[in-house]
Amino acid sequence: MGTTSERPRATRTDDAVTALVSLWLIAGLLLDAWAHSNRPGLETFFTPWHAVFYSGFAATAGWVALLVWRQWRAGRRGLAAVPLGYGPTLLALVVFALSGVADMVWHTVFGIEESIDILFSPSHLGLAISMAVIVTTPVRSVWRDPAPGTLARLWPALLGTGLAIAEVMVFLEYGNALLLRATWIVTGFSETTNNSATQIAVRMLVTNAVLLLPLLFLARRWGLPPGAATLCTVPLLILSGAETGGTNWSTLFSMLIAAVGVDLLALALRPSADRPRAYWLFATLAPLFTWSLYLGVASAAVGRLPAIVELWTGAPVVAAAVGLALGALMLPGGPVLDPAAPRS
């Protein structure tokens, strides 16, 4: 059998399985994050949470190896046996494995982290970076198809994006506004004698950027099919609920309703690279609605508005202004070139 040099394309089913085994991997990460937040005194690397985490990695690595092996059997050799979009995944799997070994050695030598130092451990950062590449594999796989996306075609990419958002926010826990209870939000925006108001405002802006940028990225390439914002947000809701034991239920509820509202906004505006004004308007209104609802539900749950009017009225406007700036950076105007199109 002769060899072929043309890179194969993964099928929709292939990408769907990739997204699902990545879900296994991230589920292990969420369990580990829950354990570190709710089980103080962990003294060993060998825990049930790590078992789920690293078995998810093994399943993901095995699945990607199977895809390459299928192409090898078909006669392709070298890089030609690797489906488009899966090349960085192979490299990330190697980095993940090395970081996992480094993490075991790190814990053996320095012990188990129990505070914010978890988020800055070099071995953990190696795991984080490689995981982000792994879970976004379906996005790269479908990238060369610029046709307007449907939920049926894009759901593996959307799920991968949502898993990446949750994974990033694991390591930006100190900037996650979804971890805050309603009482903390209202009380924090009611006085400025300490840093509570500043911390809440910063958390809102960090979370705003992490949630909005992927949606703008997807909208620029394919548009946003119905349900895209919700599918991208749910993994972060699950993460935030796990880390707090569900004590922030009103905050999670507000963000779920906000995600549905953002989906309806996208349906009405149809933001895309070919509709820049609609794109910029979406980038502005989505955070304005999201963070107005966030503060409104917190106030309703507590039974009163924050005492400082400027904070609870101005914070959503600042988030909207940041959204507009991000939209302008992502789509400054003019035609967007198709990276899959031939170059002269």
Side-chain angles (χ1 to χ4, degrees), residues 3 22 49 62 102 104 125 151 161 178 190-191 199 206 208 211 219 223 240 244 247-248 276 280 294 299 305 308 329:
T3 62
S22 297
W49 343 112
M104 181 174 62
L125 294 176
L151 188 62
T161 301
L178 276 63
S190 293
E191 49 90 19
Q199 292 174 5
V206 170
N208 181 47
L211 283 172
S240 302
T244 61
T247 57
N248 56 335
W280 298 327
Y294 174 88
S299 299
L305 288 167
I308 302 178
L329 288 172

Side-chain angles (χ1 to χ4, degrees), residues 36-251:
H36 280 288
S37 298
N38 297 278
R39 291 290 187 89
L42 290 176
E43 296 293 342
T44 177
F45 175 84
F46 299 98
T47 65
W49 343 112
H50 276 180
V52 177
F53 183 45
Y54 285 104
S55 63
F57 163 73
T60 305
W63 169 248
V64 174
L66 177 62
L67 292 180
V68 174
W69 179 72
R70 286 177 180 173
Q71 299 303 324
W72 185 275
R73 287 187 58 191
R76 295 184 171 90
R77 296 293 181 267
L79 191 60
V82 181
L84 289 169
Y86 282 74
T89 310
L90 288 176
L91 178 60
L93 289 169
V94 173
V95 172
F96 186 100
L98 294 175
S99 299
V101 173
D103 192 42
M104 181 174 62
V105 173
W106 186 277
H107 289 321
T108 301
V109 175
F110 297 106
I112 306 296
E113 304 93 340
E114 294 184 0
S115 185
I116 195 172
D117 51 348
I118 296 172
L119 310 176
F120 293 92
S121 165
S123 58
H124 288 175
L125 294 176
L127 293 170
I129 294 169
S130 55
M131 273 190 292
V133 176
I134 292 169
V135 301
T136 53
T137 300
V139 181
R140 294 190 301 275
S141 177
V142 76
W143 182 257
R144 288 177 177 264
D145 186 355
T150 63
L151 188 62
R153 184 171 69 88
L154 288 183
W155 76 260
L158 295 172
L159 177 58
T161 301
L163 295 178
I165 290 171
E167 185 256 327
V168 166
M169 289 307 292
V170 167
F171 290 89
L172 292 178
E173 178 184 342
Y174 44 86
N176 186 357
L178 276 63
L179 298 179
L180 302 179
R181 303 178 190 177
T183 52
W184 297 352
I185 297 168
V186 173
T187 301
F189 266 11
S190 293
E191 49 90 19
T192 58
T193 56
N194 55 35
N195 289 326
S196 296
T198 300
Q199 292 174 5
I200 294 172
V202 170
R203 282 175 179 261
M204 289 174 62
L205 292 178
V206 170
T207 307
N208 181 47
V210 174
L211 283 172
L212 183 60
L213 272 171
L215 293 180
L216 295 178
F217 173 81
L218 296 169
R220 172 175 167 165
R221 184 59 177 164
W222 297 292
L224 293 175
T230 302
L231 188 54
C232 287
T233 304
V234 164
L236 179 57
L237 298 180
I238 296 173
L239 162 71
S240 302
E243 290 191 318
T244 61
T247 57
N248 56 335
W249 66 268
S250 61
T251 301

Side-chain angles (χ1 to χ4, degrees), residues 229-230 255-267 282 289-290 293:
T230 302
M255 296 303 288
L256 177 60
I257 299 303
V260 174
V262 169
D263 273 324
L264 294 175
L265 180 65
L267 186 63
F282 173 81
F289 171 73
T290 297
L293 189 64

